[in-house]
Amino acid sequence: MSTRAKFLVVSIAALTVLSVVVGVLAVVPAGALGSARGAATGGASLTGVSSAALARQTDLLDSILSETSAAGVPMSAVSLPNLLGQEHMDGNVVSPLTTVAPAPMGIGTIGVMNTSGHPTAYTIETSSWEGSITLNSVNSFWLDNDGALSTTGTDNTFGVQLNTVTTNTTVGDTSNNSFWTQNVMYYNLVPGAVTFLDNIWNFSSPAEALTSGTIYAGNGTPVYPVFYYAYGPTVSVTLPATVHLYINSSTTNLVSTGFGYTTIKFGYEIANAATGRGEASGVYDTVLFNSTVAIGKVPASPFLVSGSQLTPTGFLLYDAEIMIGGPGGGTTTSIYGISGSESLDYLDASGRYVAPPSAWNVGTDTGETSEGISEWYTTAGTVQLGAGPSIPAPLWGATPGGNIGKATFSGPLSPSNAFVFFTPGTSFNAETAAWAPTQTASSVDYALPPGTYTVSALLSDHTPIQKTVTVGDGGTANLDLVLSANDREGVYTPLDAWDNAQLAAISSSGTGSASNPYVLDNNPAPGGVESVFSMENDYLYPVFPGLFLAGTTAHVDANNMPTFAVTFPADHDAFLTAYDLPFTNNLQFETFDTSNFSLWGTHGITGWFFFDDYGPTGFLPLANVVIWGGTNDLVGDNTFVSQGSSLLLAGLNPDAPTGNVVWGNTFVNSTAISPTMYPGDGAANGPPIGIFAFESGDLIYNNYVATSITAYSPPANFFYGTFQPNTEIWNLSMVEPASYSTTFNGYTLGGTIVRSAFQGGNYWADYVVGSGLPYDEYGYISSGGDYFPLPITAYSVTFVLVNDATEHLGGPGFDGLGGPLVWSVTVNGVTQTTASAAVTFYEVPGTYTYSVTVVSSYETISPSSGTVTVTNQPVLVPLEAR
């Protein structure tokens, strides 16, 4: 494979066509957004899916997930087809499945031309496809998929896939099979590397089963009866870079066996996008399909694009696509900044790589998705990539006019953490609205195909703005998105802050100091959270958390927060019903590398995750509250109603300081649980879990934990999956009276969550008194555990100097020789130091060793060590100072 300069650097000719810009600005109350409060959706529309088709596809998904999980296949290896989609024929031609975001954004061709308003089908048969992406810069973030590639040792955030479908593939003595072939590049979280992966899925029948023995040879692993995968190399890259992905089909004849074999090769080429210089290339996997057909008798197995037929699956297409999406497992990813381009080409009969006659800006067979990428083109064959709304649309050859050209939408944005959405057309519609990324900039600048769009800017306790603009090729629309504060609007959007400066816009008071913390807005909007924030992809990965803070260090109090309930769109009803899932859900609370954050007094924290979504036991941070990489954060006095996954404490760096406190919370099972919620109700992945703890140094005490599994703290780093002891602290260092209190982040932590004369650890509903200590949830807490489960029956153990203590402690008889006596006692690993005549511990019944040390004085104390047995009464241990 040779590097071809036309794919390395794509330049945009200066546009000379001026346009007329028509704008209508509207400032409206949140409750008057009309369809903005209607149904929102993401990915494919499931309207019209027959119950039989849905049952077949859900059974297929269940089988695939069960088999891959049982085989220990890492999530990153499974680049899922769109198993929950429902392509259909529109007359005698196919139509694209994905019509709204999140979507597999990129370039897709489905074999349909439409330049006159009447679609017609065509066919491409080729032995080779090339998908190319040039990345000048990229900024992606979506906390819920961090760690997706933990088992590979790489730190990836999104994937780029070249996907094609074979036809006439020979397996055994039959040459009428079709397979979905995927060449995937994962972009690594730590800049400087990409990792390659391939997948092969059987599209030869509705069952999609990869029959045992299908693969004769390859560098990867067949996982029968599901799919085949192989990891390729991890290669260093420096942006700007261009990566070419290739999939080639040929025939291999082996004299040693006497058979011919359909052969698929997966290759790549990396070039410096600025210089065009090739930096790395190779074929990392060559797959031979098993065959019993003699040499010379095996027919060619081209890749097929056909607009007049479905694949034998009955619902997926013969298409080709290059797309950007989440890092495997049907995940999504959010793009906050990107500059680059993509192209998709096939090898024609003359031996040249050429673009397909028509294309959309999305793939269709792919399960992974993305949001926050805008696309436009000025030359057929190449699309430009920028940060903006992901609006699925036809490109060249796919619609009259072709959506060619570039329109710019820019202007001030205030507050900078407001949310921006675009809807094609003259009115805002939550069903077709696409999120346009904002982060910390005080202005926006998006590029889209020319057309008419309705733009909406929203932020809680601010009056939203809508603006409808029509922009022609080369034109610019001025988006003046400066929102006015209005606390009567209430919390109708999520609350996001990417730095300390953004906290004021989502707070009702405070300056961020320890004595005057920011207090986040908590007044629910009359109509609740805008429905557009219920957006999720076809595998029900949510796009938006309800509360999200990243990198903030100011003191922030989130008191008595709303629970960010959302309702899913009506076109998901059949799918949700099939899986016995509710039509509503609650968005997550998430913090990322924050410090001094307190979530306090919020009741009814809940929310479910789809069982295939690889929650904490599969190393994705899917929980109702996620404290990721937190330091000095407090989760206190809240009520969690677990539908599978309540609280997660985790981070990337095992040596990072934590010091978070989890105090006074109640964790109980929800009464609304189905087996298809994560982790499920004893079906898919186990019963609901209260606390996931994947770090060390957090203090977790005085909580009421009555979930089916109370706590889970395995010896693993959450991100990498590597060994990590996770020595969390599950009780106070010593038993304290119920009256004991301390202060943390300005909150007083005192008393006990159940009736008890003493404080210590947590109340665990499944703890049996006398079953041994520490309590470790019968092995689920791998390191340490709770030594003082509530309620506590304890007795005082007092160590007292019984001789003339006043002489030694500075009283009337003190002779001044050597100074006053300061001494310490250590019991059960806890030390108290005093200058008084006595020191008291509270201990549960048992036998303990103690040691006594003179800290300051010429004195000695005897005995200096010993044991003390506590039964059912106070204990006095006499000591003598000399």
Side-chain angles (χ1 to χ4, degrees), residues 673-770:
I673 299 175
S674 78
T676 49
M677 293 176 182
Y678 181 84
D681 189 15
N685 296 303
I689 299 177
I691 303 171
F692 292 91
F694 284 79
E695 56 191 19
S696 299
D698 299 319
L699 175 58
I700 306 168
Y701 78 107
N702 195 44
N703 299 285
Y704 182 101
V705 193
T707 47
S708 297
I709 295 177
T710 57
Y712 180 56
S713 184
N717 180 279
F718 191 90
F719 190 88
Y720 294 106
T722 51
F723 175 79
Q724 180 177 304
N726 294 328
T727 54
E728 297 284 52
I729 305 166
W730 299 89
N731 51 258
L732 291 171
S733 60
M734 60 184 290
V735 174
E736 299 281 4
S739 59
Y740 169 82
S741 68
T742 186
T743 300
F744 188 85
N745 281 359
Y747 292 85
T748 298
L749 312 182
T752 58
I753 201 162
V754 295
R755 186 181 297 274
S756 176
F758 298 94
Q759 299 181 40
N762 304 276
Y763 174 81
W764 309 98
D766 61 354
Y767 173 63
V768 177
V769 176

Side-chain angles (χ1 to χ4, degrees), residues 40-43 100-103 141-145 330-336 369-372 390 419-421 433-437 494 496 498 531-548 566 568 585-588 590 609 613 622:
T41 186
V100 291
F141 183 89
W142 191 69
L143 182 58
D144 281 351
N145 71 23
T331 59
T332 194
T333 195
S334 296
I335 304 297
Y336 285 87
T369 60
S370 56
E371 55 273 350
S390 293
F419 295 90
V420 177
F421 291 88
W435 167 74
D496 283 14
W498 289 90
S531 60
V532 73
F533 295 104
S534 69
M535 190 179 294
E536 78 295 315
N537 75 358
D538 288 331
Y539 285 100
L540 301 187
Y541 283 101
V543 172
F544 300 102
L547 170 64
F548 177 75
V566 293
F568 292 114
N585 206 352
N586 295 69
L587 305 181
Q588 297 167 267
E590 295 181 336
F609 302 97
D613 284 355
L622 293 172

Side-chain angles (χ1 to χ4, degrees), residues 476-487:
T476 298
N478 177 32
L479 300 180
D480 187 357
L481 303 179
V482 178
L483 281 67
S484 300
N486 182 356
D487 59 13

Side-chain angles (χ1 to χ4, degrees), residues 58-75 77-78 80 83 201 207-212 221-229 611-612 614 684-685:
T58 54
D59 287 346
L60 177 60
L61 174 61
D62 295 351
S63 174
I64 287 172
L65 296 173
S66 175
E67 294 286 349
T68 54
S69 176
V73 179
M75 174 183 183
V78 188
L80 286 170
L83 297 170
W201 298 77
E208 294 190 35
L210 191 70
T211 305
S212 180
T221 305
V223 182
Y224 299 120
V226 183
F227 80 129
Y228 167 93
Y229 75 97
F611 80 99
D612 77 312
Y614 294 87
N685 296 303

Side-chain angles (χ1 to χ4, degrees), residues 401-470:
N403 285 335
I404 191 170
K406 176 185 179 183
T408 302
F409 302 80
S410 62
L413 174 70
S414 179
S416 59
N417 45 340
F419 295 90
V420 177
F421 291 88
F422 279 63
T423 300
T426 58
S427 63
F428 187 84
N429 183 346
E431 293 189 7
T432 57
W435 167 74
T438 61
Q439 205 160 29
T440 59
S442 58
S443 62
V444 296
D445 187 7
Y446 308 122
L448 288 166
T452 298
Y453 301 91
T454 297
V455 185
S456 183
L458 313 92
L459 185 63
S460 291
D461 273 353
H462 290 76
T463 301
I465 289 176
Q466 284 187 5
K467 186 174 188 178
T468 297
V469 292
T470 299

Side-chain angles (χ1 to χ4, degrees), residues 217-240:
N219 297 334
T221 305
V223 182
Y224 299 120
V226 183
F227 80 129
Y228 167 93
Y229 75 97
Y231 279 110
T234 295
V235 181
S236 296
V237 295
T238 301
L239 299 186

